Amino acid sequence: MTTITFTKTAPPEWLLAMWKEIDDKTFGKGFDCFAEHAVCNLGVADWHGREAIRQNLRDFIDTGFTAHHDVVEYWDSPSLKIFHGTVAMKFDDPGMEPAQPSMAHFFYMDKTDPSKVIRWVGAVGPTGF
C-alpha cells in the first residue's frame, strides 16, 4: 500500500497551457508538459509518445466540435496530479445540442523529470444518455 498526501490548490500553468492548446486548436508548446515517451489513456485511447498524444487529440477535436475546459478542482502531490473539471462542447452540426460533461484526469509525473507527465489517464462524459 502507498499513501500519498494531496493539497487542493490552483491548477499549475502547465495544465492550463495544455487545455488552452486544445481549446484554441493550436496544439503547440502546451504539450511540452509531456515526457517524450509519455502514455495517454483517455477512455479507450492508448497513445504512446508526446507527438502521438498531440496528433490524436488534434484528430479527435477536428471531428466536428470546439471544446472549452474549465477547472472545478485540482489536487497536487509530487508524483500524481488529479484534475476534475467540465468541458463545454459546441458541435459544428447545428442540429446537435451543446454538451458539458464532467471529466476527471490523473497525471503521473516522470520520476526522472518530475516537471513532465509520464502517464495521463482520464475519462470524459458521457455526453448524454
Side-chain angles (χ1 to χ4, degrees):
M1 183 165 66
T2 302
T3 301
I4 300 175
T5 300
F6 288 92
T7 302
K8 186 176 182 182
T9 186
E13 193 55 43
W14 64 262
L15 182 62
L16 297 174
M18 187 210 42
W19 292 133
K20 184 170 177 22
E21 294 283 0
I22 295 170
D23 293 348
D24 293 348
K25 297 185 178 188
T26 51
F27 300 94
K29 291 185 182 261
F31 282 81
D32 291 349
C33 64
F34 294 103
E36 187 174 327
H37 56 285
V39 174
C40 176
N41 301 112
L42 294 178
V44 297
D46 185 30
W47 303 326
H48 294 256
R50 177 176 50 226
E51 295 312 313
I53 294 168
R54 184 191 323 258
Q55 187 59 50
N56 282 297
L57 279 169
R58 176 182 283 136
D59 293 346
F60 174 67
I61 294 294
D62 282 345
T63 60
F65 70 96
T66 300
H68 178 79
H69 296 80
D70 285 311
V71 176
V72 174
E73 59 187 321
Y74 175 79
W75 292 84
D76 192 22
S77 80
S79 61
L80 175 61
K81 319 305 185 179
I82 300 174
F83 168 86
H84 168 231
T86 59
V87 56
M89 301 169 74
K90 182 179 178 205
F91 299 96
D92 296 345
D93 179 348
M96 293 182 71
E97 290 292 319
Q100 191 167 359
S102 180
M103 59 181 178
H105 298 277
F106 295 79
F107 297 94
Y108 296 85
M109 306 313 284
D110 192 334
K111 290 178 183 171
T112 59
D113 183 355
S115 71
K116 300 288 184 186
V117 175
I118 194 68
R119 184 161 185 230
W120 175 16
V121 178
V124 178
T127 59
F129 284 103

